[in-house]
Amino acid sequence: MISFKLKAFCFCVLVTVAGYSQTAKRNLSAKRIHSAIKLDGILDDAAWKEAPVADKFVMLRPEPFKPENQDNATQIYFVYNNEGIYVGGYLHEKTKDSIAAELTGRDGFGNNDFVGVIFDTYKDKLNGFEYFVTPLGEQMDAKVSPNTNGNSEDFSWNAVWQSASKLQADGWSFEMFIPYSAIRFGKKKVQDWGLNIVRRRQKSGQQLFWQPIDPNVNGFLTQEGFYNGLEDIKPPMRLQFSPYFSTYINHDGTAAQGVKKNSATINGGMDLKYGINQAFTLDMTLIPDFGQVQSDNRVLNLSPFEQKFNENRAFFTEGTELFNKGNLFYSRRIGIESTYKNWASPQANETIEEDPAQAKIINATKISGRTQKGLGVGVLNAVTKRQFATFKDKDNGVSRKQETMPLTNYNVFVLDQTLKHNSSISLVNTNVWRSGTAYDANVTSALFDLNDKKNTWNVGGNVSFSNILGRDGKNTTGYAHSIYLGKTSGRFNFNVWQDLYNDKYDKSDLGYFTNNNTMDQGAWLGYSWTKPKGWYNQLRVNTNFWYSRLVSPIDVLRRRSMMYQNAGLNFNFNAQTKKLWWIGANINGGPASNDFYEPRSYGRVFKNKGRVNVNLWWESNSAKRFSWGGTIYAGTGGVFHRKNFDLNLFGKIRFSSKFSIDGSVYASSSHNQSGFAGKVGPLYDTIIFSRRNVNSVENVLNIKYNFTNRMGLTLRARHYWSKVDPVQFYELDTYGDLKTPASPFTQNVRQNYNYLSVDMVYNWQFAQGSFFSIVWKDIGESFNRQFENNYAKNLSNTVNGQQFNSLSVRVIYFLDYLTFKNRMNRKKAG
């Protein structure tokens, strides 16, 4: 009897474990309707009464696999017709006060409850489309694509679809309509899609899914349910125009004497979107206008490498997941951060009247999509026009021009084939062609990312070749590869990797690239506790270490060959507490290193000593009206026993669902830092380093007021200040050590840099896909060799200094061929 009970108990335990480890797939049958539903957020249309329902949601956070409370039950309904898919839902709450609702603008999740529908139209468990709506009717959407950690979401992708929400006494309800023009799918007569639905209850910290998600399994599309039986759905004629008109009034206080400071411009252009077939779309922008994008977060760059900025131009962020494969494409190379420029060379009696730093884009085109068999194809092409510097003769006033940037064509081509078990292989090519005698560049990379049947193990990598054609009269071919292997599902995961770039590899003409001739390898190991226990809801720890060396040895002035660069080890910890606070810590360090880049001269090296650093961070419950957080960093090391201390504090206060203010304060202090100071000598081959103190302060203020879910006003102000104060100078000897200079170094290499930017934006979506915006921008930038130690005076000097101001108005109007056709047909019928 005891034996039977023990066996029965063990059987029940095994069944329970199996139920948690392998959740049954849920299915929802598609139901066709033959009429349209009026969208008002209220589920009173007759079509909803017989619609299939997705309910009985299951929690992912904070308690995985816990069924939702019936007081907070979720019911989501689906129907479809010849034009698109209708989704409606009722999200119950005990009281109206339990709902978190804030107007943040499109694609801003903010402090909101939301519901989201996720479609995997090709059932490849790699690519998907997401549509979210909040209790106040704001929309978010995203395109899902694969990455090495499962799936990534691109919220810069925007589709045109409709939705409405309604606050209720016991929760909130919504309706959405996703036209077939806003989603991509194959040609099958009867289609089955992957489906999941997510709900967030912000105040309780809950995230729930219709198809349960295991936090220890790699990816979320890999765990989707199914939406079955969509019959005879065909996308309509997808032809959409977005003509724009804009006008700018500019005042450039930084313009040189004699150059006109005030200007006014009127611009016009158009964005075009055309559905080549069900799966492929052509996007084109003609004479684009990017003058209203947010100002860059510029800083004083003391490193030997280029500073990388975020891309804020919509055309180069929306739907570009294919083009980002292989990390070969840095879109700011097109029109903003070109690597090729002939510097303007005025003669002795000339002044520079104009010298454009950026190239104007003539047009840009994207074609992208995926076939029913999983082949993704992407082509991006952009052309920038020739740029000229203008010089004026001081004596006779005659002007002449010199070409500084040639006509340039940029191209990215991608093939991406999905395979079984959410795996893929890809081919990526980038090409830069320049007119005239300027050099051209081409990079090709083959990639693979493979997972086993159980989605537990992953291996991937790439092989790349770069070709620089005609630079300095010769062609150069470079080689690079990456390889990684790891365990990606379960509580314990790990990854080992290697990246190699030989000394001729160069992808910088259309990609971001710092240095070649390097081989880096390392490993990452992590363990997670995803079920609440004691004081935490979830807890994760991980460690990683790496070792870096050169690929080809550098003979340091023929004295010795050196290969080793650096190595490091760090430990990380993060957790969410039961009160929905996040806390974390990082400890990292490394032994002595050889720096081949800080000397700013090939064949030279700087030998630095080891370092150790500690970082602590925290974030309070973001659902509260006032939330805040911060980081504290301290570190030491290097040849001068550097002492670093950084403090960053940030916070947000919500006065209402419409009005909020947030900001951050960052201060950094580094004493006895080592760094490059300059070069002296007849051949400029004597390299001078300094022991220096570096201090930086950054303040950011954001103010937001949303009048409605389609109209809002935002203000973003940022001031950055950094100063570099050299305390003592040293000469870098040929062995990489620092010594007293043979001759005193007397140059003034102090640095005092300020950057102030203000962006005020009024935006009104006056029709579906159509926007009216007014933007005021103010930018002040200064650099000098003298210090103003008082922060308030320093800020005042920047505000009162020379600035660039711009006031612009822009109207973009969305025209859809199908909508226009239906409207005309109704007029004829009437």
Coordinates of all heavy atoms in Angstrom, one line a residue, residues 83-141:
E83 N -10.9 42.6 -45.7 CA -10.0 43.8 -45.6 C -8.9 43.6 -44.5 O -7.8 44.2 -44.6 CB -10.7 45.1 -45.3 CG -11.5 45.6 -46.5 CD -12.7 44.8 -46.9 OE1 -13.4 44.4 -46.0 OE2 -12.8 44.5 -48.1
G84 N -9.2 42.8 -43.5 CA -8.2 42.7 -42.4 C -8.7 42.0 -41.2 O -9.7 41.3 -41.3
I85 N -8.0 42.1 -40.1 CA -8.3 41.4 -38.9 C -8.8 42.3 -37.8 O -8.1 43.4 -37.6 CB -7.0 40.6 -38.4 CG1 -6.6 39.6 -39.4 CG2 -7.3 39.9 -37.1 CD1 -5.3 38.9 -39.2
Y86 N -9.9 42.0 -37.2 CA -10.4 42.7 -36.0 C -10.1 42.0 -34.7 O -10.2 40.8 -34.6 CB -11.9 42.9 -36.1 CG -12.4 43.8 -37.2 CD1 -12.7 43.3 -38.5 CD2 -12.6 45.1 -37.0 CE1 -13.1 44.1 -39.5 CE2 -13.0 46.0 -38.0 CZ -13.3 45.5 -39.2 OH -13.7 46.3 -40.2
V87 N -9.6 42.8 -33.8 CA -9.3 42.2 -32.4 C -10.0 43.1 -31.4 O -9.9 44.3 -31.5 CB -7.8 42.2 -32.2 CG1 -7.5 41.5 -30.8 CG2 -7.0 41.5 -33.3
G88 N -10.7 42.5 -30.5 CA -11.4 43.2 -29.5 C -11.1 42.5 -28.1 O -10.8 41.3 -28.1
G89 N -11.3 43.3 -27.1 CA -11.0 42.7 -25.8 C -11.5 43.4 -24.6 O -11.8 44.6 -24.7
Y90 N -11.8 42.7 -23.5 CA -12.2 43.3 -22.2 C -11.2 42.8 -21.2 O -11.0 41.6 -21.0 CB -13.6 42.8 -21.9 CG -14.3 43.8 -21.0 CD1 -15.3 44.6 -21.4 CD2 -14.0 43.9 -19.6 CE1 -16.0 45.5 -20.6 CE2 -14.6 44.8 -18.8 CZ -15.6 45.6 -19.3 OH -16.2 46.5 -18.5
L91 N -10.6 43.8 -20.5 CA -9.6 43.5 -19.5 C -10.1 43.9 -18.2 O -10.2 45.1 -17.8 CB -8.3 44.2 -19.9 CG -7.7 43.8 -21.2 CD1 -8.1 44.8 -22.3 CD2 -6.2 43.5 -21.2
H92 N -10.5 43.0 -17.4 CA -11.2 43.2 -16.1 C -10.2 43.7 -15.0 O -9.1 43.3 -14.9 CB -11.9 42.0 -15.6 CG -13.1 41.6 -16.5 ND1 -14.3 42.0 -16.3 CD2 -13.1 40.8 -17.6 CE1 -15.1 41.5 -17.3 NE2 -14.4 40.8 -18.1
E93 N -10.7 44.6 -14.2 CA -10.0 45.0 -13.0 C -11.1 45.1 -11.8 O -12.3 45.3 -12.1 CB -9.3 46.4 -13.2 CG -8.2 46.4 -14.2 CD -6.9 45.7 -13.7 OE1 -6.9 45.4 -12.4 OE2 -6.0 45.5 -14.4
K94 N -10.6 45.0 -10.6 CA -11.5 45.1 -9.5 C -12.1 46.5 -9.4 O -13.3 46.7 -9.2 CB -10.8 44.8 -8.2 CG -10.6 43.3 -7.9 CD -10.0 43.1 -6.5 CE -9.8 41.6 -6.3 NZ -9.3 41.4 -4.9
T95 N -11.3 47.5 -9.6 CA -11.7 48.9 -9.6 C -11.0 49.7 -10.8 O -10.0 49.2 -11.3 CB -11.4 49.6 -8.3 OG1 -9.9 49.7 -8.2 CG2 -11.9 48.8 -7.1
K96 N -11.6 50.8 -11.1 CA -11.0 51.6 -12.1 C -9.6 52.2 -11.7 O -8.8 52.4 -12.5 CB -12.0 52.8 -12.4 CG -11.7 53.5 -13.7 CD -12.9 54.5 -14.0 CE -12.7 55.2 -15.3 NZ -13.8 56.1 -15.6
D97 N -9.4 52.3 -10.4 CA -8.2 52.8 -9.9 C -7.0 51.9 -10.1 O -5.8 52.3 -10.0 CB -8.3 53.2 -8.4 CG -9.2 54.3 -8.2 OD1 -9.4 55.1 -9.1 OD2 -9.7 54.5 -7.0
S98 N -7.3 50.6 -10.4 CA -6.3 49.6 -10.6 C -5.6 49.8 -12.0 O -4.6 49.1 -12.3 CB -6.8 48.2 -10.5 OG -7.4 48.0 -9.2
I99 N -6.2 50.6 -12.8 CA -5.7 50.8 -14.2 C -4.6 51.8 -14.2 O -4.7 52.9 -13.7 CB -6.8 51.2 -15.2 CG1 -7.9 50.1 -15.1 CG2 -6.3 51.3 -16.6 CD1 -9.2 50.6 -15.9
A100 N -3.5 51.5 -14.8 CA -2.4 52.5 -15.1 C -2.5 53.0 -16.4 O -2.5 52.3 -17.4 CB -1.0 51.8 -14.9
A101 N -2.7 54.4 -16.5 CA -2.9 55.0 -17.8 C -2.2 56.3 -17.9 O -2.3 57.2 -17.0 CB -4.4 55.2 -18.0
E102 N -1.4 56.5 -18.9 CA -0.6 57.7 -19.1 C -0.5 58.0 -20.6 O -0.2 57.1 -21.4 CB 0.8 57.6 -18.5 CG 1.7 58.8 -18.8 CD 3.1 58.6 -18.3 OE1 3.5 57.4 -18.1 OE2 3.9 59.5 -18.2
L103 N -0.7 59.2 -21.0 CA -0.5 59.6 -22.4 C 1.0 59.9 -22.7 O 1.6 60.8 -22.0 CB -1.3 60.9 -22.8 CG -2.8 60.7 -22.9 CD1 -3.5 62.0 -23.0 CD2 -3.2 59.7 -24.0
T104 N 1.6 59.1 -23.5 CA 3.1 59.2 -23.8 C 3.4 59.5 -25.2 O 4.6 59.8 -25.5 CB 3.8 57.9 -23.3 OG1 3.3 56.8 -24.1 CG2 3.6 57.7 -21.8
G105 N 2.5 59.3 -26.1 CA 2.8 59.4 -27.6 C 3.0 58.1 -28.2 O 3.2 57.1 -27.4
R106 N 3.0 58.0 -29.5 CA 3.1 56.7 -30.2 C 4.4 56.0 -29.8 O 5.4 56.6 -29.8 CB 3.0 56.9 -31.7 CG 2.9 55.6 -32.4 CD 2.8 55.8 -33.9 NE 2.9 54.5 -34.6 CZ 1.9 53.9 -35.1 NH1 0.7 54.4 -35.1 NH2 2.1 52.7 -35.7
D107 N 4.3 54.7 -29.6 CA 5.4 53.8 -29.3 C 6.1 54.1 -28.0 O 7.2 53.7 -27.7 CB 6.5 53.9 -30.4 CG 6.0 53.2 -31.7 OD1 5.2 52.2 -31.6 OD2 6.4 53.5 -32.8
G108 N 5.4 54.9 -27.1 CA 5.9 55.1 -25.8 C 5.1 54.4 -24.7 O 4.0 54.8 -24.4
F109 N 5.7 53.3 -24.2 CA 4.9 52.5 -23.3 C 4.6 53.2 -22.0 O 3.5 53.1 -21.5 CB 5.7 51.2 -23.0 CG 5.6 50.2 -24.1 CD1 6.6 50.2 -25.1 CD2 4.6 49.2 -24.1 CE1 6.5 49.3 -26.2 CE2 4.6 48.3 -25.2 CZ 5.5 48.3 -26.2
G110 N 5.6 54.0 -21.5 CA 5.3 54.8 -20.3 C 4.8 53.9 -19.1 O 5.0 52.7 -19.0
N111 N 4.0 54.6 -18.3 CA 3.4 54.0 -17.1 C 2.0 53.5 -17.5 O 1.0 54.0 -17.0 CB 3.4 55.0 -16.0 CG 2.9 54.3 -14.7 OD1 3.4 53.3 -14.2 ND2 1.8 54.9 -14.1
N112 N 1.9 52.6 -18.4 CA 0.6 52.1 -18.9 C 0.4 50.6 -18.8 O 1.3 49.8 -18.9 CB 0.6 52.4 -20.4 CG 0.1 53.8 -20.7 OD1 -1.0 54.2 -20.3 ND2 0.9 54.6 -21.5
D113 N -0.9 50.3 -18.5 CA -1.3 48.9 -18.8 C -1.4 48.9 -20.4 O -1.5 49.9 -21.0 CB -2.7 48.7 -18.3 CG -2.7 48.5 -16.7 OD1 -1.6 48.6 -16.2 OD2 -3.8 48.4 -16.2
F114 N -1.3 47.7 -20.9 CA -1.5 47.5 -22.3 C -1.8 46.1 -22.7 O -1.6 45.2 -21.9 CB -0.2 48.0 -23.1 CG 1.0 47.2 -22.9 CD1 1.2 45.9 -23.4 CD2 2.1 47.7 -22.2 CE1 2.3 45.2 -23.2 CE2 3.2 47.0 -22.0 CZ 3.4 45.7 -22.5
V115 N -2.3 45.9 -23.9 CA -2.5 44.6 -24.4 C -1.8 44.6 -25.8 O -1.9 45.6 -26.5 CB -4.0 44.2 -24.5 CG1 -4.7 45.1 -25.5 CG2 -4.2 42.7 -24.9
G116 N -1.2 43.5 -26.2 CA -0.5 43.4 -27.4 C -0.8 42.0 -28.1 O -0.9 41.0 -27.5
V117 N -1.0 42.1 -29.4 CA -1.2 40.9 -30.3 C 0.0 40.7 -31.1 O 0.6 41.6 -31.7 CB -2.4 41.1 -31.2 CG1 -2.7 39.9 -32.0 CG2 -3.7 41.4 -30.3
I118 N 0.5 39.4 -31.1 CA 1.8 39.1 -31.7 C 1.5 38.0 -32.8 O 1.0 36.9 -32.4 CB 2.8 38.5 -30.7 CG1 3.0 39.5 -29.6 CG2 4.1 38.2 -31.4 CD1 3.7 39.0 -28.4
F119 N 1.7 38.3 -34.1 CA 1.5 37.4 -35.2 C 2.8 36.9 -35.7 O 3.7 37.8 -36.1 CB 0.6 38.1 -36.3 CG -0.8 38.4 -35.9 CD1 -1.2 39.7 -35.9 CD2 -1.7 37.3 -35.7 CE1 -2.6 39.9 -35.6 CE2 -3.0 37.6 -35.3 CZ -3.4 38.9 -35.3
D120 N 3.0 35.6 -35.9 CA 4.1 35.0 -36.6 C 3.5 34.5 -37.9 O 3.1 33.3 -38.0 CB 4.7 34.0 -35.8 CG 5.8 33.2 -36.6 OD1 6.2 33.6 -37.7 OD2 6.3 32.2 -36.0
T121 N 3.4 35.3 -38.9 CA 2.6 35.0 -40.1 C 3.2 33.8 -41.0 O 2.5 33.2 -41.7 CB 2.4 36.2 -41.0 OG1 3.7 36.7 -41.4 CG2 1.5 37.2 -40.3
Y122 N 4.5 33.6 -40.8 CA 5.2 32.5 -41.6 C 5.4 31.3 -40.7 O 6.0 30.3 -41.2 CB 6.5 33.1 -42.1 CG 6.3 34.2 -43.2 CD1 6.4 35.5 -42.8 CD2 6.0 33.8 -44.5 CE1 6.2 36.5 -43.7 CE2 5.8 34.8 -45.4 CZ 6.0 36.2 -45.0 OH 5.8 37.2 -46.0
K123 N 5.1 31.4 -39.4 CA 5.3 30.3 -38.5 C 6.7 29.8 -38.5 O 7.0 28.6 -38.4 CB 4.3 29.1 -38.8 CG 2.9 29.4 -38.4 CD 2.0 28.2 -38.6 CE 2.3 27.0 -37.7 NZ 1.3 25.9 -37.8
D124 N 7.7 30.7 -38.6 CA 9.1 30.3 -38.6 C 9.7 30.5 -37.2 O 10.9 30.2 -37.0 CB 9.9 31.1 -39.7 CG 9.9 32.6 -39.5 OD1 9.4 33.1 -38.4 OD2 10.3 33.3 -40.4
K125 N 8.9 31.1 -36.3 CA 9.3 31.3 -34.9 C 10.5 32.3 -34.8 O 11.2 32.3 -33.8 CB 9.7 30.0 -34.2 CG 8.6 29.0 -34.2 CD 9.0 27.7 -33.4 CE 7.9 26.6 -33.6 NZ 6.6 27.0 -33.0
L126 N 10.7 33.1 -35.9 CA 11.8 34.0 -35.9 C 11.3 35.4 -36.2 O 11.9 36.4 -35.6 CB 12.8 33.6 -37.0 CG 13.6 32.4 -36.8 CD1 14.4 32.0 -38.1 CD2 14.6 32.5 -35.7
N127 N 10.3 35.6 -37.1 CA 9.9 36.9 -37.5 C 8.4 37.1 -37.2 O 7.6 36.2 -37.3 CB 10.1 37.0 -39.0 CG 11.6 36.8 -39.4 OD1 12.4 37.8 -39.3 ND2 11.9 35.6 -39.8
G128 N 8.1 38.3 -36.7 CA 6.7 38.5 -36.3 C 6.3 40.0 -36.4 O 7.2 40.9 -36.6
F129 N 5.0 40.3 -36.1 CA 4.5 41.6 -36.1 C 3.7 41.8 -34.8 O 2.9 40.9 -34.4 CB 3.6 41.9 -37.3 CG 4.3 41.6 -38.6 CD1 4.3 40.4 -39.2 CD2 4.9 42.7 -39.3 CE1 4.9 40.2 -40.4 CE2 5.6 42.5 -40.5 CZ 5.6 41.2 -41.1
E130 N 3.9 42.9 -34.1 CA 3.2 43.2 -32.8 C 2.4 44.5 -32.9 O 2.9 45.5 -33.5 CB 4.3 43.3 -31.7 CG 5.1 42.1 -31.5 CD 6.2 42.2 -30.4 OE1 6.6 43.4 -30.2 OE2 6.6 41.2 -29.8
Y131 N 1.2 44.4 -32.3 CA 0.3 45.6 -32.3 C -0.2 45.7 -30.8 O -0.8 44.8 -30.3 CB -0.8 45.4 -33.3 CG -0.4 45.1 -34.7 CD1 -0.1 43.7 -35.0 CD2 -0.1 46.0 -35.6 CE1 0.3 43.4 -36.3 CE2 0.3 45.7 -36.9 CZ 0.5 44.4 -37.2 OH 1.0 44.0 -38.5
F132 N 0.1 46.9 -30.2 CA -0.3 47.1 -28.8 C -1.2 48.3 -28.8 O -1.2 49.3 -29.6 CB 0.9 47.5 -28.0 CG 2.0 46.4 -28.0 CD1 2.9 46.3 -29.0 CD2 2.1 45.5 -26.9 CE1 3.9 45.4 -29.0 CE2 3.1 44.6 -26.9 CZ 4.0 44.5 -27.9
V133 N -2.1 48.3 -27.7 CA -3.0 49.5 -27.5 C -3.1 49.6 -25.9 O -3.0 48.7 -25.2 CB -4.3 49.3 -28.1 CG1 -5.1 48.1 -27.4 CG2 -5.2 50.5 -28.1
T134 N -3.2 50.9 -25.5 CA -3.2 51.2 -24.1 C -4.7 51.6 -23.7 O -5.5 51.8 -24.6 CB -2.3 52.4 -23.8 OG1 -2.9 53.6 -24.3 CG2 -0.9 52.2 -24.4
P135 N -5.0 51.8 -22.4 CA -6.3 52.1 -22.0 C -6.8 53.5 -22.5 O -8.0 53.7 -22.6 CB -6.2 52.1 -20.4 CG -5.1 51.2 -20.1 CD -4.1 51.4 -21.2
L136 N -5.8 54.4 -22.9 CA -6.2 55.7 -23.4 C -6.1 55.7 -24.9 O -6.2 56.8 -25.5 CB -5.3 56.8 -22.8 CG -5.4 57.0 -21.2 CD1 -4.5 58.0 -20.7 CD2 -6.9 57.3 -20.9
G137 N -5.9 54.6 -25.5 CA -6.0 54.5 -27.0 C -4.8 54.8 -27.7 O -4.8 54.9 -29.0
E138 N -3.6 54.8 -27.1 CA -2.4 55.1 -27.8 C -1.9 53.7 -28.4 O -2.0 52.7 -27.8 CB -1.3 55.7 -26.9 CG -1.7 57.2 -26.6 CD -0.6 57.9 -25.9 OE1 0.1 57.3 -25.0 OE2 -0.3 59.0 -26.2
Q139 N -1.2 53.9 -29.5 CA -0.7 52.7 -30.2 C 0.8 52.5 -30.1 O 1.6 53.5 -30.0 CB -1.0 52.8 -31.7 CG -2.5 52.8 -32.1 CD -2.7 52.9 -33.6 OE1 -1.8 53.2 -34.3 NE2 -4.0 52.7 -34.0
M140 N 1.2 51.2 -30.1 CA 2.6 50.9 -30.3 C 2.6 49.7 -31.2 O 1.7 48.9 -31.3 CB 3.3 50.4 -29.0 CG 3.4 51.5 -27.9 SD 1.9 51.7 -26.9 CE 2.0 50.3 -25.8
D141 N 3.7 49.6 -32.1 CA 3.8 48.5 -32.9 C 5.3 48.2 -33.1 O 6.1 49.0 -32.9 CB 3.1 48.6 -34.3 CG 3.3 50.0 -34.9 OD1 4.3 50.7 -34.6 OD2 2.5 50.4 -35.7

